Amino acid sequence: MPLAISPADVEAAAVRIRPLVSETPVLESERLNERAGASLFFKAENLQKGGSFKLRGAANFVRQIPPGELAAGVVAFSSGNHAQAVAIAARDAGARATIVMPSDAPRVKLEGTRSWGAEVVFYDRMREDREVIAAKVLAERRGTLIPPFDHPWVIAGQGTCALELMRQVPDLDALLVCLGGGGLLAGCAVAAKAANPAMRIFGVEPLNGNDGQQSLRSGKRVAIPVPDTIADGLRTTCVGAHNFPILQALVEDVLTVTEEEIVEAARLLFKELRVVVEPSGAAAAALALSGKLPAGVERIGITLSGGNAEPAFLRGLLD
Amino acid sequence: MPLAISPADVEAAAVRIRPLVSETPVLESERLNERAGASLFFKAENLQKGGSFKLRGAANFVRQIPPGELAAGVVAFSSGNHAQAVAIAARDAGARATIVMPSDAPRVKLEGTRSWGAEVVFYDRMREDREVIAAKVLAERRGTLIPPFDHPWVIAGQGTCALELMRQVPDLDALLVCLGGGGLLAGCAVAAKAANPAMRIFGVEPLNGNDGQQSLRSGKRVAIPVPDTIADGLRTTCVGAHNFPILQALVEDVLTVTEEEIVEAARLLFKELRVVVEPSGAAAAALALSGKLPAGVERIGITLSGGNAEPAFLRGLLD
């Protein structure tokens, strides 16, 4: 069975989303390099519009919806970065966006989503079933559902992150990518391996939510209960169906980091790079900064996948 | 009398410092644009090595010191960003750096300076005279003194900031530059006016330390007592002698911002751009974000000149 996307899909996505998506900078720090014992190139998707890489996939999706269908608007289910990304991509396309969020979603992400003009519909996570709400909203609105990671258009969009990074730093030998549902990892793997077949590609996820590691090592998608991790964007329970075969084909391994390593990485990135990285966005960096790099890698691209951190989390980093 | 530097000096500086200095990104935010009523392009020198634009001038200076003199090392007097910049440029050149600091210098800047291998010599700001210490250290070390702003090599180096910005965003109509001693403003003015004679250039300084505004408006350099402002990098008492004629020739006006406007700008930049900006680095942005832009400007380059903020300041932004 062919993989869900080809390198040409990522190239096409890059052209398609260019008017909306920022080329994010690559940040470096000699002090962090010394700590890791390697040269680290941080792809700062935390500085992307909406504060995460998610805009790449959302934009690549929304821009392929036929005009007739776009008129009915788009719908997404997310309390996180996907919500803001869909809101931005929809506004850019002149489409109505409805975002379904649990009523206890973080205020910063709720406000962010609304500020881009999206309508937010709440559900009670304790009393209402997410699937029932989803069916109801979709029936009422008749808009196009934009999935957060398990779709070829989303995967191809996320892959533009690696495409950019490899043009910015042409001689990387490895890529560390934060792994939740596998949209960013799968897309980046396709783009990076096409440009350099020798590139070593690793997913990084919280030890507490290592469904990706279990899946890759066992050879089949393993679903776990909702993991308890500070990295709220990586609380997915299972890697996507379109994503998994790509991971099997192109990703060398999935490695894990502890909660403490994630927090310490966010603190170091804040101090040394002077940027805000949310816990989910610091996972890949945490692997490098806690001395757990795979042997033999020297020039490493690392995704800082998001920057929508809660004020309380940042306060903790300053203490 | 000719100006202290020409546009060609800035071009030469850009080539000279390229191996050491990062090309910093330009950050944008639709929400900040809406607030300002204009398109703002933030030149993120807070993400520069050492955390400020100062490395540009220091590198351009150190790289022009003849090898015979470089062997005696370099000396700088600074408790701030110039200290770190000189330390980095000296280490890169294989030269010994001695930085003279008041014994009550902020810990974050002291540690930053030492981490780049510089030797720090303290003096007691209350009991010892800075000029006497300076003479003593220079006599002992016989190294080259690197001034913070009042020197053609420093001014030309700082000008590379605008050179980069105008290549990144070619159609700006105005530039807002933080003003302390005038190194960054003078250098950027020379580079920007050469590329586009219609470019409108403004300095921005704290209302509490408006020596630059007084000087430009009165037509002569006005010295003031050490100003009381949170923007510690802009606590200079007088614009430089080499810098002032450039400001007179090329800068339209110097505008001021209040302490509250500086803090609010740093808060907005932190929240919307997800980067750390120190008070001195937020002054130019504060002018735009507090609704005080000059009439008729639409596409505005703004220096975020530094990011070495104290943890206590950042904590305040989160409350």
Side-chain angles (χ1 to χ4, degrees), chain B residues 232-249:
Chain B
D232 58 310
L234 308 180
R235 278 186 201 137
T236 44
T237 59
C238 187
V239 170
H242 291 90
N243 313 60
F244 185 59
I246 298 178
L247 272 48
Q248 286 187 295

Side-chain angles (χ1 to χ4, degrees), chain A residues 125-140:
Chain A
R125 180 140 57 174
M126 300 303 149
R127 287 178 38 218
E128 294 170 276
D129 184 75
R130 192 176 169 287
E131 301 303 315
V132 173
I133 301 291
K136 190 168 150 243
V137 170
L138 280 171
E140 278 173 16

Side-chain angles (χ1 to χ4, degrees), chain A residues 162-304:
Chain A
L163 206 61
E164 259 180 40
L165 172 59
M166 288 184 310
R167 201 184 59 240
Q168 292 166 308
V169 189
D171 53 351
L172 297 174
D173 52 30
L175 212 53
L176 300 181
V177 181
C178 303
L179 170 57
L184 186 62
L185 178 55
C188 287
V190 168
K193 279 286 189 186
N196 175 10
M199 182 84 79
R200 299 174 64 187
I201 298 166
F202 300 90
V204 183
E205 62 186 359
L207 181 61
N208 290 1
N210 71 338
D211 56 295
Q213 187 182 62
Q214 290 184 44
S215 300
L216 199 66
R217 293 186 180 180
S218 71
K220 59 180 192 296
R221 289 164 69 215
V222 174
I224 61 171
V226 176
D228 178 23
T229 170
I230 191 175
D232 58 314
L234 308 181
R235 280 186 201 137
T236 44
T237 58
C238 187
V239 169
H242 291 91
N243 313 60
F244 186 58
I246 298 177
L247 270 49
Q248 285 187 296
L250 304 177
V251 171
E252 181 171 330
D253 201 0
V254 173
L255 306 168
T256 60
V257 288
T258 67
E259 301 294 295
E260 293 71 25
E261 287 164 349
I262 290 171
V263 174
E264 178 62 7
R267 196 187 65 76
L268 286 166
L269 295 164
F270 189 49
K271 177 163 184 262
E272 299 296 344
L273 297 183
R274 300 175 187 84
V275 294
V276 174
V277 184
E278 65 183 276
S280 309
L287 191 88
L289 297 175
S290 57
K292 293 160 77 172
L293 280 176
V297 299
E298 288 177 6
R299 294 176 61 81
I300 307 159
I302 295 180
T303 59
L304 301 182

Side-chain angles (χ1 to χ4, degrees), chain A residues 30-31 91 115 315 318, chain B residues 30-31 91 115 315 318:
Chain A
E30 288 187 46
R31 282 207 278 263
R91 195 184 74 162
S115 77
R315 250 178 241 119
L318 290 165
Chain B
E30 288 187 45
R31 282 207 277 265
R91 195 184 72 163
S115 77
R315 247 179 243 120
L318 290 166

